[in-house]
mmCIF file with all atom_site columns, all heavy atoms in Angstrom:
data_model
loop_
_atom_site.group_PDB
_atom_site.id
_atom_site.type_symbol
_atom_site.label_atom_id
_atom_site.label_alt_id
_atom_site.label_comp_id
_atom_site.label_asym_id
_atom_site.label_entity_id
_atom_site.label_seq_id
_atom_site.pdbx_PDB_ins_code
_atom_site.Cartn_x
_atom_site.Cartn_y
_atom_site.Cartn_z
_atom_site.occupancy
_atom_site.B_iso_or_equiv
_atom_site.pdbx_formal_charge
_atom_site.auth_seq_id
_atom_site.auth_comp_id
_atom_site.auth_asym_id
_atom_site.auth_atom_id
_atom_site.pdbx_PDB_model_num
ATOM 1  N N   . ALA A 1 163 ? 3.060  13.800 -21.109 1.00 96.00 ? 163 ALA A N   1
ATOM 2  C CA  . ALA A 1 163 ? 2.659  12.389 -20.838 1.00 96.00 ? 163 ALA A CA  1
ATOM 3  C C   . ALA A 1 163 ? 3.803  11.473 -21.248 1.00 96.00 ? 163 ALA A C   1
ATOM 4  O O   . ALA A 1 163 ? 4.157  10.510 -20.505 1.00 96.00 ? 163 ALA A O   1
ATOM 5  C CB  . ALA A 1 163 ? 1.385  12.019 -21.572 1.00 96.00 ? 163 ALA A CB  1
ATOM 6  N N   . ALA A 1 164 ? 4.525  11.760 -22.335 1.00 95.00 ? 164 ALA A N   1
ATOM 7  C CA  . ALA A 1 164 ? 5.569  10.904 -22.786 1.00 95.00 ? 164 ALA A CA  1
ATOM 8  C C   . ALA A 1 164 ? 6.797  10.945 -21.889 1.00 95.00 ? 164 ALA A C   1
ATOM 9  O O   . ALA A 1 164 ? 7.380  9.961  -21.520 1.00 95.00 ? 164 ALA A O   1
ATOM 10 C CB  . ALA A 1 164 ? 6.078  11.301 -24.216 1.00 95.00 ? 164 ALA A CB  1
ATOM 11 N N   . LEU A 1 165 ? 7.027  12.163 -21.429 1.00 95.00 ? 165 LEU A N   1
ATOM 12 C CA  . LEU A 1 165 ? 8.164  12.315 -20.460 1.00 95.00 ? 165 LEU A CA  1
ATOM 13 C C   . LEU A 1 165 ? 7.885  11.636 -19.160 1.00 95.00 ? 165 LEU A C   1
ATOM 14 O O   . LEU A 1 165 ? 8.793  11.020 -18.517 1.00 95.00 ? 165 LEU A O   1
ATOM 15 C CB  . LEU A 1 165 ? 8.436  13.862 -20.208 1.00 95.00 ? 165 LEU A CB  1
ATOM 16 C CG  . LEU A 1 165 ? 9.313  14.606 -21.067 1.00 95.00 ? 165 LEU A CG  1
ATOM 17 C CD1 . LEU A 1 165 ? 9.279  16.066 -20.728 1.00 95.00 ? 165 LEU A CD1 1
ATOM 18 C CD2 . LEU A 1 165 ? 10.710 14.073 -21.045 1.00 95.00 ? 165 LEU A CD2 1
ATOM 19 N N   . GLY A 1 166 ? 6.675  11.623 -18.690 1.00 93.00 ? 166 GLY A N   1
ATOM 20 C CA  . GLY A 1 166 ? 6.242  11.065 -17.458 1.00 93.00 ? 166 GLY A CA  1
ATOM 21 C C   . GLY A 1 166 ? 5.979  9.574  -17.567 1.00 93.00 ? 166 GLY A C   1
ATOM 22 O O   . GLY A 1 166 ? 5.626  8.958  -16.529 1.00 93.00 ? 166 GLY A O   1
ATOM 23 N N   . GLY A 1 167 ? 6.187  8.980  -18.715 1.00 91.00 ? 167 GLY A N   1
ATOM 24 C CA  . GLY A 1 167 ? 5.997  7.594  -18.892 1.00 91.00 ? 167 GLY A CA  1
ATOM 25 C C   . GLY A 1 167 ? 4.578  7.131  -18.996 1.00 91.00 ? 167 GLY A C   1
ATOM 26 O O   . GLY A 1 167 ? 4.243  5.981  -18.832 1.00 91.00 ? 167 GLY A O   1
ATOM 27 N N   . ALA A 1 168 ? 3.612  8.059  -19.321 1.00 93.00 ? 168 ALA A N   1
ATOM 28 C CA  . ALA A 1 168 ? 2.197  7.700  -19.451 1.00 93.00 ? 168 ALA A CA  1
ATOM 29 C C   . ALA A 1 168 ? 1.853  7.417  -20.890 1.00 93.00 ? 168 ALA A C   1
ATOM 30 O O   . ALA A 1 168 ? 0.634  7.376  -21.236 1.00 93.00 ? 168 ALA A O   1
ATOM 31 C CB  . ALA A 1 168 ? 1.358  8.854  -18.892 1.00 93.00 ? 168 ALA A CB  1
ATOM 32 N N   . THR A 1 169 ? 2.801  7.264  -21.779 1.00 90.00 ? 169 THR A N   1
ATOM 33 C CA  . THR A 1 169 ? 2.505  7.019  -23.157 1.00 90.00 ? 169 THR A CA  1
ATOM 34 C C   . THR A 1 169 ? 3.121  5.724  -23.553 1.00 90.00 ? 169 THR A C   1
ATOM 35 O O   . THR A 1 169 ? 4.283  5.367  -23.282 1.00 90.00 ? 169 THR A O   1
ATOM 36 C CB  . THR A 1 169 ? 3.172  8.072  -24.080 1.00 90.00 ? 169 THR A CB  1
ATOM 37 O OG1 . THR A 1 169 ? 2.660  9.389  -23.754 1.00 90.00 ? 169 THR A OG1 1
ATOM 38 C CG2 . THR A 1 169 ? 2.904  7.839  -25.507 1.00 90.00 ? 169 THR A CG2 1
ATOM 39 N N   . SER A 1 170 ? 2.350  4.834  -24.230 1.00 88.00 ? 170 SER A N   1
ATOM 40 C CA  . SER A 1 170 ? 2.846  3.553  -24.711 1.00 88.00 ? 170 SER A CA  1
ATOM 41 C C   . SER A 1 170 ? 3.613  3.765  -26.030 1.00 88.00 ? 170 SER A C   1
ATOM 42 O O   . SER A 1 170 ? 3.388  4.759  -26.720 1.00 88.00 ? 170 SER A O   1
ATOM 43 C CB  . SER A 1 170 ? 1.701  2.595  -24.872 1.00 88.00 ? 170 SER A CB  1
ATOM 44 O OG  . SER A 1 170 ? 0.943  3.020  -26.085 1.00 88.00 ? 170 SER A OG  1
ATOM 45 N N   . SER A 1 171 ? 4.444  2.771  -26.367 1.00 85.00 ? 171 SER A N   1
ATOM 46 C CA  . SER A 1 171 ? 5.260  3.000  -27.576 1.00 85.00 ? 171 SER A CA  1
ATOM 47 C C   . SER A 1 171 ? 4.394  3.122  -28.824 1.00 85.00 ? 171 SER A C   1
ATOM 48 O O   . SER A 1 171 ? 4.710  3.742  -29.789 1.00 85.00 ? 171 SER A O   1
ATOM 49 C CB  . SER A 1 171 ? 6.192  1.767  -27.726 1.00 85.00 ? 171 SER A CB  1
ATOM 50 O OG  . SER A 1 171 ? 5.443  0.511  -27.817 1.00 85.00 ? 171 SER A OG  1
ATOM 51 N N   . ALA A 1 172 ? 3.146  2.458  -28.765 1.00 85.00 ? 172 ALA A N   1
ATOM 52 C CA  . ALA A 1 172 ? 2.264  2.479  -29.930 1.00 85.00 ? 172 ALA A CA  1
ATOM 53 C C   . ALA A 1 172 ? 1.682  3.854  -30.112 1.00 85.00 ? 172 ALA A C   1
ATOM 54 O O   . ALA A 1 172 ? 1.181  4.117  -31.266 1.00 85.00 ? 172 ALA A O   1
ATOM 55 C CB  . ALA A 1 172 ? 1.186  1.413  -29.757 1.00 85.00 ? 172 ALA A CB  1
ATOM 56 N N   . ASP A 1 173 ? 1.727  4.645  -29.052 1.00 90.00 ? 173 ASP A N   1
ATOM 57 C CA  . ASP A 1 173 ? 1.049  5.997  -29.233 1.00 90.00 ? 173 ASP A CA  1
ATOM 58 C C   . ASP A 1 173 ? 2.007  7.147  -29.446 1.00 90.00 ? 173 ASP A C   1
ATOM 59 O O   . ASP A 1 173 ? 1.689  8.315  -29.471 1.00 90.00 ? 173 ASP A O   1
ATOM 60 C CB  . ASP A 1 173 ? 0.299  6.327  -27.947 1.00 90.00 ? 173 ASP A CB  1
ATOM 61 C CG  . ASP A 1 173 ? -0.904 5.324  -27.722 1.00 90.00 ? 173 ASP A CG  1
ATOM 62 O OD1 . ASP A 1 173 ? -1.464 4.921  -28.722 1.00 90.00 ? 173 ASP A OD1 1
ATOM 63 O OD2 . ASP A 1 173 ? -1.272 4.958  -26.563 1.00 90.00 ? 173 ASP A OD2 1
ATOM 64 N N   . VAL A 1 174 ? 3.270  6.806  -29.595 1.00 91.00 ? 174 VAL A N   1
ATOM 65 C CA  . VAL A 1 174 ? 4.321  7.820  -29.795 1.00 91.00 ? 174 VAL A CA  1
ATOM 66 C C   . VAL A 1 174 ? 4.140  8.407  -31.138 1.00 91.00 ? 174 VAL A C   1
ATOM 67 O O   . VAL A 1 174 ? 3.973  7.715  -32.153 1.00 91.00 ? 174 VAL A O   1
ATOM 68 C CB  . VAL A 1 174 ? 5.768  7.219  -29.582 1.00 91.00 ? 174 VAL A CB  1
ATOM 69 C CG1 . VAL A 1 174 ? 6.763  8.371  -29.930 1.00 91.00 ? 174 VAL A CG1 1
ATOM 70 C CG2 . VAL A 1 174 ? 5.894  6.745  -28.206 1.00 91.00 ? 174 VAL A CG2 1
ATOM 71 N N   . THR A 1 175 ? 4.265  9.752  -31.313 1.00 92.00 ? 175 THR A N   1
ATOM 72 C CA  . THR A 1 175 ? 4.179  10.394 -32.559 1.00 92.00 ? 175 THR A CA  1
ATOM 73 C C   . THR A 1 175 ? 5.531  11.149 -32.882 1.00 92.00 ? 175 THR A C   1
ATOM 74 O O   . THR A 1 175 ? 6.421  11.187 -31.984 1.00 92.00 ? 175 THR A O   1
ATOM 75 C CB  . THR A 1 175 ? 3.073  11.472 -32.612 1.00 92.00 ? 175 THR A CB  1
ATOM 76 O OG1 . THR A 1 175 ? 3.384  12.493 -31.705 1.00 92.00 ? 175 THR A OG1 1
ATOM 77 C CG2 . THR A 1 175 ? 1.786  10.838 -32.248 1.00 92.00 ? 175 THR A CG2 1
#
Side-chain angles (χ1 to χ4, degrees):
L165 274 173
T169 301
S170 69
S171 58
D173 294 327
V174 178
T175 66

